[in-house]
Amino acid sequence: MTAVAARPVSPVLRRDRRRWGWGLAALVAVGWSLLAAVDGEVVNPAGSVQFGRFAAAALSPALDGAFLGVLGTAALVTVAYAVLGTVLALVLGAAGAVLVARTTWGRRRLGWAAARGVLAVPRGLHEAVWGLLLVNVLGLDPWVGVLAIGLPYGAVTAKVFADLLDEVPRGPYEALLAQGSGRTAAALYGLVPQAAGGLLSYAFYRLECAVRSAVVLGLIGAGGLGYQLSLSFASLRWPEVWTAVYALALLCLAADVAGRAVRRRVAAPRRGADVLSRDRVLTAAVAAALAGVVWSWWFLALSPASLVSARAREQAGYVLGAAWPPAADGDLLREVVRQSVVTVQTSVLAIAVATAGAVLVAGVAARPAGRSARGRRVAGSLLRAALLLVRAVPAPVWALVLLFVLLPGVLPGALALGVYTLGVLGRLAAEAVEEADARPRTALAALGARPSGGWLYGVAPQAAGPALAFALYRWEVVVRDTLLVGLLGAGGLGALLASRLAAFDWAAVTTVLLATVALTLAVDLVSDRARRALR
């Protein structure tokens, strides 16, 4: 009897109902937010002339020596804030990572969840909000800029570092535990050395972000390029505004290029004769970072004594005493709920605009893997420069510009955040296209497919998942940034916070801040569930 070979059965593609459900929910949320954004009058025709002057000045920036000298000094202040803020964030993040890593807590999930919950408070508030609060305690002290960057970034860094520690092999860690070491010591000596590459790479990425945050802090009076930008903007000196914008772009480009070089070296360490050799670029980067810390401390003339001065203690006691307990009157709570809805609508519309834009530009912005036409290379370079420019300009500046032609509300805030976030997502989506497997596209080209078809069917499906995951991750960041543009009149919880801060109603300020943290946690939870559905 001859055995009959079983016929292979092709796997049946099944529709993932969770993905369809999340997709439908996203469309409903975007439609709901768009209807709220265009409800009533949104255009301010009287501001079109001023907007035209602003746009025209892009081709004629101010280049006089006196103003460039002022910008040079302001750039040094921004760099010093970014360096010291990053160092503080790394110190806090390294200490916090060991305390909140899942590995450290073992099976004690309640303690791990509580530790993670503590981190949600500092990272749930924007750096500018920290700056406004610290100004009321420390005055215009340089520590305001350093702490406003270091505290929230430290909480974010602790979370990321903890995740990196949880992903490395646990063999050395468990061996140290078996020899009687404590969990903290075992984590320091058994986990940290293995994760050192990823930790160093993220540290330089955080420095890039700190440069942009230092600019934002300048908008609220902390000094630096942001402060000079706000002064020129307030006096309607558009050529000076564009000079400051281009200076910001160059500074962000320098941080971006340096960070990218370091991360590339960490990802692919040098070898000599099959043995890991010292990388001079990484050694120089670490040495430059240490020298930068010393110089920044000297340049800003920081004094630890100012943190514990009698005035600081008195102001801190007054603010804390006035801020607790939070205000709970009915009118305020109803307003908090209403403005929370506005904040969600603004963030949803902003991330939708940024995601749609990133999908459109990712293919052209990505660097070609092989040889390509000169026109394609030029178009890609110009588009990458444009993305750098829109993410170098802080979202509040985009909001102020849009408020020339749009009335205050959801729409200007959403568009401002959407444009800024497009600069970030466009870059990330382009990198996802660059990292996609080239074989499907090559196979389609061999079968006679056009380049557009090869990209659409061979590259886009691979890049779609990472791009959507990046967008969902950025949604939490956009919620925090919504508070910032709201401070400038774009609506939402930021506008409510600004009015309460102006009235020194600290109990109401606490209520608004708690609502902001709760909203950020809720968005983080929804975003995490949606990312799981995409895997």
Side-chain angles (χ1 to χ4, degrees), residues 127-154:
E127 303 86 69
V129 176
W130 278 105
L132 290 172
L133 296 176
L134 289 168
V135 162
N136 285 278
V137 175
L138 300 175
L140 296 178
D141 191 277
W143 275 110
V144 171
V146 176
L147 293 175
I149 295 174
L151 293 177
Y153 274 21

Side-chain angles (χ1 to χ4, degrees), residues 322-378:
W324 198 265
D329 59 279
D331 291 340
L332 175 63
L333 293 181
R334 282 190 292 270
E335 185 65 14
V336 165
V337 172
R338 190 176 74 85
Q339 296 300 338
S340 296
V341 171
V342 173
T343 297
V344 171
Q345 292 170 334
T346 303
S347 67
V348 168
L349 196 55
I351 203 67
V353 169
T355 304
V359 170
L360 292 175
V361 306
V364 179
R367 292 178 174 84
R371 298 181 61 183
S372 60
R374 182 176 182 180
R376 165 69 177 82
R377 296 197 304 272
V378 171

Side-chain angles (χ1 to χ4, degrees), residues 148 173 228 239 456 473:
Y173 169 77
Q228 293 301 322
L456 184 62
Y473 169 74

Side-chain angles (χ1 to χ4, degrees), residues 227-238 241 400 404:
Y227 182 64
Q228 293 301 322
L229 179 61
S230 65
L231 289 179
S232 298
F233 201 104
S235 58
L236 304 183
R237 297 177 180 175
W238 303 129
V241 168
L400 290 172
F404 282 137

